[in-house]
């Protein structure tokens, strides 16, 4: 799975963003980073690499739980990044649902949408951490 540099770089970026969120973020950023890390690990464990067509139910359940976590975080938090993360996660869930309408979508398009949305979620989390960090520094708490 992580045998090429092309697959190792995004994982390294994800680990850096999650670590940055745990070190410098407030509670919403830490909860979002924890949900992202747990969701990424669950996705790695539950994906069916040999299955080329059709809906992968286990992945869709994990992605739906992630969507619920981001929606709850957006509902309870005063930050704006969880709204963006929830919107991008809903694109991922809808991409999974699209495979029920047409069981043979091009896999390249499927993976491109999911990967780009995941990069967007990482970016939203990173921006949220930087904003929280700057707010604490402006208040003199750090």
């Amino acid at each position: 799975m992580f045998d090429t540099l092309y697959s190792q770089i995004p994982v390294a970026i994800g680990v850096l963003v999650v670590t940055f969120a745990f070190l410098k973020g407030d509670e919403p950023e830490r909860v979002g980073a924890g949900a992202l890390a747990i969701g990424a690990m669950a996705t790695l464990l539950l994906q069916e690499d040999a299955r080329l067509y059709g809906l992968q139910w286990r992945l869709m359940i994990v992605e739906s739980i992630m969507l619920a976590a981001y929606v709850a975080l957006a509902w309870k938090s005063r930050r704006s990044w969880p709204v963006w993360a929830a919107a991008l996660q809903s694109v991922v869930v809808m991409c999974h649902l699209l495979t029920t309408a047409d069981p043979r979508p091009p896999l390249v398009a499927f993976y491109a949408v999911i990967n780009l949305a995941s990069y967007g979620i990482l970016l939203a989390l990173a921006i949220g951490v930087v904003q929280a960090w700057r707010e604490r520094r402006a208040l003199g708490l750090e």
Side-chain angles (χ1 to χ4, degrees):
M1 178 85 187
F2 302 116
D3 54 347
T4 64
L5 190 62
Y6 178 73
S7 63
Q8 293 170 357
I9 290 174
V11 172
I13 292 170
V15 168
L16 287 175
V17 169
V18 167
T19 303
F20 184 56
F22 279 124
L23 292 176
K24 297 294 181 181
D26 288 336
E27 184 181 355
E29 288 79 20
R30 289 181 183 145
V31 170
L36 182 69
I38 290 170
M41 295 303 285
T43 301
L44 284 174
L45 290 173
L46 296 176
Q47 69 183 357
E48 300 172 22
D49 291 332
R51 190 169 172 179
L52 297 177
Y53 298 107
L55 182 63
Q56 292 191 18
W57 287 102
R58 295 184 292 185
L59 285 184
M60 186 180 153
I61 291 169
V62 170
E63 301 290 359
S64 299
I65 292 170
M66 291 292 299
L67 176 61
Y70 287 133
V71 167
L73 198 57
W75 185 266
K76 294 293 180 181
S77 174
R78 61 179 178 85
R79 312 250 191 236
S80 63
W81 73 265
V83 176
W84 288 97
L88 290 164
Q89 189 66 32
S90 68
V91 169
V92 172
V93 171
M94 289 308 294
C95 191
H96 280 290
L97 286 176
L98 241 143
T99 58
T100 60
D102 183 11
R104 295 172 290 152
L107 279 179
V108 174
F110 178 75
Y111 289 133
V113 168
I114 289 178
N115 286 335
L116 288 175
S118 298
Y119 297 147
I121 292 171
L122 275 176
L123 180 65
L125 177 61
I127 289 171
V129 172
V130 168
Q131 287 176 344
W133 186 27
R134 288 181 61 201
E135 285 176 8
R136 277 199 322 273
R137 286 184 65 194
L139 292 173
L141 299 175
E142 205 171 285

